[in-house]
Amino acid sequence: MILIAVISLGAIGAIGALFLYAASKKFEVYEDPRIAQVQAVLPGANCGGCGYPGCAGFAGACVKADSLDGMLCPVGGGPVMAQVATILGKEAGATEPMVAVVRCNGTCKARPRTNQYDGTKSCAIASTLYGGETNCTFGCLGYGDCVKACNFGAIHINPETGLAEVDEEKCTSCGACVKACPKSIIELRKKGPKSRRIFVSCVNKDKGAVARKACQNACIGCGKCEKECPFGAVAVTNNVAYIDYTKCRMCRKCVAVCPTGAIHELNFPPRKEAAPAAPKAAEVKPVAPAAPKAAPKAEAIVEPNVSIQSPTKE
């Protein structure tokens, strides 16, 4: 009986193994070995900044794509994409580095507190309950959801201003802070040459008088910056100005005419002081030419009287 049981179990196991082998061959999923090679050179942050679910999803998309145009690992940047291009035998698309900017300048002094929030210190929760502790319902709440979302320690809350600030040296432009901000005041912008950027640090869409009453640094939608820009990079929509970084030529004319200081310029050299204006032509009195000096009079030469006596004969 024991022998029969062993033989029966062995036969059942063999039949099951055959079925499993056949099923594995029938439903086998082929994976391109290059996917593992590409994934090996990626930083492994799994931040989702590339637009795909983790580094594995991005590696698969790179392998399947006909070209790498528009494909970018924000954490690894250009060097990593160059390695990916080498593995796949494709050309890496040219990409410009990006950086996160906080479009709010409503400091504690400029935006005084009118009430106190005693709930959970979360921007997402607070924003669903009310507008915030000030009269500006568009500004930074300062509870640090963006700080928690950043895996690289590139953003923090300034205790003096109560605003989020980005460390551009650590920022990888993964976009996690952008997704975490319920007020949509964090934006990814072109890093710019020598890390120089110009942007409107305000998203308040209230009319000018209301916005200025809530925050002294708010954009009032006056349109001076739009009129001053010679490149059409500034547009005022819904009472707030916005600078298109693809058109901006860094002339900084808009910064000079903004009456509230809502337009920020980063990493620029200090402005040169204006030279004193030259006097107008009407104010310059003509100087009469100096009269030539008279030539000195020639003094009369007085010859001495010399008498010449002829010799006398003896």
Side-chain angles (χ1 to χ4, degrees):
M1 296 294 293
I2 297 176
L3 183 60
I4 295 175
V6 171
I7 295 174
S8 301
L9 290 175
I12 294 173
I15 295 172
L18 291 174
F19 274 109
L20 291 175
Y21 177 77
S24 66
K25 290 299 182 181
K26 182 176 180 61
F27 300 105
E28 181 182 8
V29 177
Y30 172 78
E31 183 176 282
D32 195 319
R34 295 179 298 172
I35 294 178
Q37 297 176 14
V38 172
Q39 188 176 356
V41 301
L42 295 177
N46 294 315
C47 59
C50 57
Y52 295 91
C55 294
F58 180 69
C62 290
V63 172
K64 295 176 182 178
D66 295 331
S67 68
L68 296 179
D69 292 338
M71 309 288 287
L72 174 66
C73 172
V75 179
V80 168
M81 293 307 300
Q83 296 181 46
V84 173
T86 302
I87 294 172
L88 301 179
K90 303 175 182 178
E91 293 184 1
T95 56
E96 296 186 10
M98 308 288 284
V99 67
V101 297
V102 179
R103 297 185 58 208
C104 179
N105 194 30
T107 62
C108 297
K109 294 181 179 179
R111 189 174 46 143
R113 180 181 296 178
T114 57
N115 59 83
Q116 186 173 355
Y117 173 69
D118 293 330
T120 304
K121 300 302 180 180
S122 168
C123 299
I125 295 175
S127 63
T128 59
L129 299 176
Y130 76 138
E133 296 181 328
T134 67
N135 288 331
C136 177
T137 59
F138 297 89
C140 176
L141 294 171
Y143 297 134
D145 285 20
C146 52
V147 178
K148 299 173 185 176
C150 182
N151 294 324
F152 308 97
I155 192 166
H156 65 276
I157 303 296
N158 189 320
E160 295 182 1
T161 62
L163 300 176
E165 294 181 353
V166 176
D167 185 347
E168 62 183 50
E169 297 299 327
K170 297 180 180 179
C171 180
T172 61
S173 67
C174 67
C177 57
V178 178
K179 298 176 184 177
C181 180
K183 296 289 186 177
S184 300
I185 63 172
I186 305 179
E187 177 189 12
L188 291 180
R189 295 181 68 88
K190 184 173 66 173
K191 198 169 186 178
K194 298 182 180 180
S195 296
R196 295 174 181 175
R197 299 178 296 283
I198 299 175
F199 61 94
V200 180
S201 187
C202 182
V203 295
N204 194 324
K205 297 180 182 179
D206 290 332
K207 292 185 178 180
V210 179
R212 188 65 186 274
K213 186 177 180 181
C215 178
Q216 296 179 3
N217 298 334
C219 173
I220 57 177
C222 63
K224 291 183 177 180
C225 52
E226 185 177 13
K227 296 176 182 178
E228 190 70 17
C229 181
F231 307 104
V234 187
V236 178
T237 307
N238 294 329
N239 304 314
V240 63
Y242 181 79
I243 298 177
D244 186 350
Y245 61 81
T246 62
K247 299 179 181 179
C248 181
R249 296 296 179 268
M250 307 291 182
C251 67
R252 297 193 288 173
K253 292 183 178 180
C254 57
V255 181
V257 299
C258 180
T260 62
I263 303 179
H264 284 194
E265 51 180 350
L266 298 182
N267 303 321
F268 282 89
R271 293 176 180 268
K272 296 181 180 180
E273 297 182 1
K280 297 180 180 179
E283 297 177 355
V284 179
K285 296 181 180 180
V287 180
K293 295 181 180 180
K297 296 181 180 180
E299 296 181 359
I301 300 175
V302 179
E303 297 181 359
N305 294 328
V306 180
S307 60
I308 302 176
Q309 297 179 356
S310 57
T312 56
K313 296 181 180 179
E314 294 182 352

